[in-house]
């Protein structure tokens, strides 16, 4: 029996909450002088890469689930361009001879693939232009943390160029820990996670 696609969003939210417990705990230890600056930076790097991986997994599971019919949306009418008779063959057909698929950058990977398999690419084409742009920026940060190549560093510097940041906030992890609003203690990381949750809900609703 098919399951609600929203169950994927619920799972993603639980994962973000678990990571938030780790982040909050480490921030408290850092404030108390029990861990060093390099420790807290490594934590932010790790949890950001982790949550991004989980987001990609959510997209993949949603795509394969909707295509196979094992998932359904309660609000968005999903029309497949072709029905795959065997659910177990869905991944093999989509993946072809590849071991894995990239789903990000979203506009370059997910949307063209969705338009191949779903009428109007729905629900994957329903993210707003702002959400798609934000995902591009999040990928830039992810690449700067994961690859550390010159091109990844250059793209990150372009992303933060013109922002009012302290010297320690001009690295990928420093930027994630920065608070963009003076009247708030909410970090960029927390804002990004909140926005990713919103995107996941929109896609899985």
């Amino acid at each position: 029996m098919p399951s609600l696609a929203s169950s994927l969003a619920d799972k993603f939210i639980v994962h973000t909450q678990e990571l938030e417990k780790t982040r909050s705990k480490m921030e408290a230890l850092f404030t108390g002088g029990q861990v060093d600056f390099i420790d807290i930076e490594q934590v932010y790097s790790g949890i950001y890469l982790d949550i991004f991986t989980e987001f990609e997994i959510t997209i993949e599971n949603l795509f394969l689930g909707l295509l196979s019919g094992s998932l359904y949306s309660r609000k968005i009418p999903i029309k497949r361009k072709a029905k795959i008779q065997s659910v177990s063959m869905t991944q093999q057909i989509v993946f072809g001879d590849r071991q894995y698929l990239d789903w990000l950058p979203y506009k370059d990977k997910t949307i063209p693939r969705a338009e191949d398999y779903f009428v109007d690419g729905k629900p994957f084409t329903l993210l707003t232009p702002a959400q798609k742009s934000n995902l591009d920026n999040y990928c830039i940060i992810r690449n700067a943390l994961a690859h550390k190549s010159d091109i990844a560093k250059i793209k990150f510097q372009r992303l933060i160029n013109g922002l009012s940041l302290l010297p320690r906030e001009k690295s990928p992890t420093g930027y994630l820990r920065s608070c963009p609003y003076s009247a708030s203690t909410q970090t960029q990381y927390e804002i990004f996670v909140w926005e990713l949750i919103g995107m996941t809900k929109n896609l899985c609703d």
Side-chain angles (χ1 to χ4, degrees), residues 41-56:
E41 285 206 319
Q42 288 175 343
V43 167
Y44 271 82
S45 177
I47 61 176
Y48 187 79
L49 293 175
D50 186 303
I51 203 167
F52 230 75
T53 299
E54 189 68 19
F55 182 73
E56 280 197 275

Side-chain angles (χ1 to χ4, degrees), residues 34-46:
Q34 295 169 275
V35 297
D36 297 328
F37 184 70
I38 190 170
D39 297 322
I40 195 70
E41 285 206 319
Q42 288 175 343
V43 167
Y44 271 82
S45 177

Side-chain angles (χ1 to χ4, degrees), residues 59-174:
I59 293 174
E60 181 173 290
N61 289 340
L62 177 64
F63 191 99
L64 297 177
L66 292 175
L67 186 59
S68 69
S70 62
L71 292 176
Y72 72 96
S73 171
R74 58 186 167 187
K75 291 185 179 180
I76 304 169
I78 307 298
K79 297 181 180 179
R80 294 169 287 178
K81 289 186 176 181
K83 292 185 178 180
I84 300 172
Q85 296 300 319
S86 173
V87 172
S88 62
M89 291 291 290
T90 305
Q91 180 168 327
Q92 184 177 336
I93 291 171
V94 176
F95 279 50
D97 58 358
R98 289 162 289 189
Q99 295 294 317
Y100 67 92
L101 293 179
D102 290 322
W103 298 91
L104 300 172
Y106 193 82
K107 290 184 288 188
D108 298 331
K109 302 293 184 180
T110 296
I111 289 181
R113 192 171 293 137
E115 290 174 338
D116 286 340
Y117 287 94
F118 299 95
V119 174
D120 298 326
K122 292 181 179 179
F124 301 93
T125 51
L126 295 179
L127 292 185
T128 67
Q131 288 174 324
K132 294 171 188 175
S133 179
N134 285 339
L135 270 180
D136 285 344
N137 292 337
Y138 301 164
C139 281
I140 289 173
I141 299 170
R142 189 272 303 271
N143 291 341
L145 288 169
H147 306 310
K148 303 185 187 301
S149 63
D150 289 341
I151 186 64
K153 292 177 182 177
I154 290 171
K155 287 184 177 180
F156 174 73
Q157 290 304 317
R158 288 175 181 167
L159 175 65
I160 65 171
N161 186 40
L163 298 180
S164 180
L165 298 170
L166 298 172
R168 67 173 181 272
E169 297 173 344
K170 293 183 178 181
S171 68
T173 48

Side-chain angles (χ1 to χ4, degrees), residues 5-47:
S6 58
S7 62
L8 294 180
D10 294 338
K11 182 180 177 182
F12 181 76
I13 292 170
V14 169
H15 192 76
T16 65
Q17 291 170 341
E18 291 172 349
L19 292 178
E20 177 57 23
K21 290 177 183 177
T22 299
R23 188 195 71 85
S24 297
K25 184 186 299 181
M26 292 301 294
E27 281 286 6
L29 290 173
F30 177 70
T31 301
Q34 295 169 275
V35 297
D36 297 328
F37 184 70
I38 190 170
D39 297 322
I40 195 70
E41 285 206 319
Q42 288 175 343
V43 167
Y44 271 82
S45 177
I47 61 176

